[in-house]
Amino acid sequence: MPSKQTVVVTGASRGIGRTVALRFAREGARVVLVARDRARLEEIPAELPDGEFLVQPADVTSPEEMARVSESVLAIWGAPHLVVANAGRLGPIGPLWESDPASWWRDVEVSLRGSFLLAHGFLAPMVEAGRGRVAFFGGGGSTRVFPWVSAYAISKAALLRLAETLDLELEGTGVHAFSVSPGFVRTDMTERFAETEEGRRCIPDLAAVLDRDGATPPEACAELLVRIAKGDLDGLHGRFLHAGLDLSRLEELRGRAAEIARNEERVLTLRGFSL
């Protein structure tokens, strides 16, 4: 990856976001760390003293706080080269009618509203600069029905459609959008599935998946995002990419990029129906 790219990562204080942020810093990027937990964010520069970081505590669902983040980044480092909408939340587990409405809606706000506000704050200067990439985190629910966690799942499906729609709006600007799934990664969220009765009802075999090679290492998602930042996957812009399944065959996918676009593969479609 070209050095001194500016990369913004939300949900950077822990889990996949933290791994992604550290990987980009090791690649020589300037990394903007966004999450609510200032103390956890401030641990990251201490872990990699040679890295260039900008700590920006913020709630991704707050227009005011995200506007402050974008204003700070633009004033210090200019338009970013990559924004990574990693922040997500999985609150209620169980049937929709048993869910707390506020908690259910908060899942949608963090994933969908948070991703929108991140893109909204940076896209105009990225378009003006004529370059850049946006990565939305799809995942559970974006490619298959995911019962018992309806808020989390539908927000992820919405992000897949958002990536496709935004990418069409960005045509000819030099900026591209992608939808990325990290796969099943061992995080606080997935461990909650594995360790609670509600979670085991949703995904009965998740504990076994996490305990064997079926779990995806967070580094795989970081590697996929580095390849996106390099521009290696620009031929697949607007498409869904899965870190756990696609990383080993990226060259094959790159070779099929025109066919994938022509056949409308790796997008959100209703099979057997068209207008």
Side-chain angles (χ1 to χ4, degrees):
M1 184 182 75
S3 62
K4 300 309 176 187
Q5 281 202 18
T6 298
V7 178
V8 182
V9 183
T10 64
S13 63
R14 66 185 71 202
I16 297 168
R18 186 185 186 100
T19 298
V20 168
L22 285 167
R23 171 62 188 276
F24 273 108
R26 293 188 179 99
E27 292 282 335
R30 298 176 297 202
V31 183
V32 182
L33 306 169
V34 183
R36 290 180 300 169
D37 193 330
R38 176 186 289 272
R40 279 183 173 266
L41 288 182
E42 290 178 343
E43 293 172 356
I44 297 175
E47 187 172 337
L48 193 65
D50 293 338
E52 282 192 79
F53 296 98
L54 182 61
V55 173
Q56 292 286 293
D59 180 345
V60 296
T61 68
S62 166
E64 296 77 18
E65 293 185 29
M66 290 306 291
R68 173 182 52 76
V69 169
S70 59
E71 289 168 6
S72 297
V73 174
L74 294 171
I76 296 170
W77 285 335
H81 299 78
L82 173 68
V83 294
V84 180
N86 164 69
R89 179 182 185 270
L90 196 160
I93 301 175
L96 180 146
W97 60 91
E98 293 180 3
S99 301
D100 173 70
S103 183
W104 193 97
W105 189 246
R106 182 64 178 170
D107 279 10
V108 179
E109 284 191 312
V110 173
S111 290
L112 185 55
R113 181 183 173 98
S115 298
F116 160 75
L117 290 174
L118 176 69
H120 187 269
F122 286 110
L123 274 173
M126 291 167 73
V127 168
E128 184 177 353
R131 50 98 185 114
R133 297 163 185 94
V134 180
F136 298 115
F137 267 40
S142 56
T143 58
R144 65 183 180 90
V145 178
F146 204 172
W148 313 114
V149 285
S150 54
Y152 177 81
I154 68 165
S155 67
K156 293 301 185 181
L159 287 175
L160 199 156
R161 178 66 85 197
L162 178 60
E164 298 167 26
T165 303
L166 178 59
D167 194 67
L168 289 174
E169 295 177 349
L170 290 168
E171 186 174 359
T173 66
V175 184
H176 300 305
F178 298 83
S179 177
V180 173
S181 171
F184 273 129
V185 178
R186 181 179 288 279
T187 64
D188 293 345
M189 183 186 298
T190 53
E191 286 184 348
R192 178 181 167 216
F193 271 97
E195 294 171 0
T196 64
E197 181 179 349
E198 295 87 351
R200 288 192 296 271
R201 178 170 64 168
C202 176
I203 309 178
D205 61 344
L206 180 59
V209 171
L210 293 177
D211 287 337
R212 62 175 190 263
D213 292 339
T216 305
E219 291 79 12
C221 190
E223 174 64 22
L224 181 59
L225 289 165
V226 167
R227 294 291 300 272
I228 288 173
K230 289 179 178 179
D232 292 350
L233 306 180
D234 279 355
L236 296 163
H237 60 84
R239 307 291 150 177
F240 176 81
L241 297 169
H242 192 287
L245 301 176
D246 290 335
L247 195 59
S248 63
R249 59 193 193 108
L250 288 181
E251 297 313 310
E252 172 201 339
L253 293 174
R254 290 177 66 191
R256 292 186 55 239
E259 177 188 353
I260 289 170
R262 185 170 58 252
N263 295 338
E264 295 190 349
E265 299 176 33
R266 293 174 170 267
V267 294
L268 196 63
T269 59
L270 189 62
R271 294 184 183 277
F273 178 84
S274 63
L275 292 175

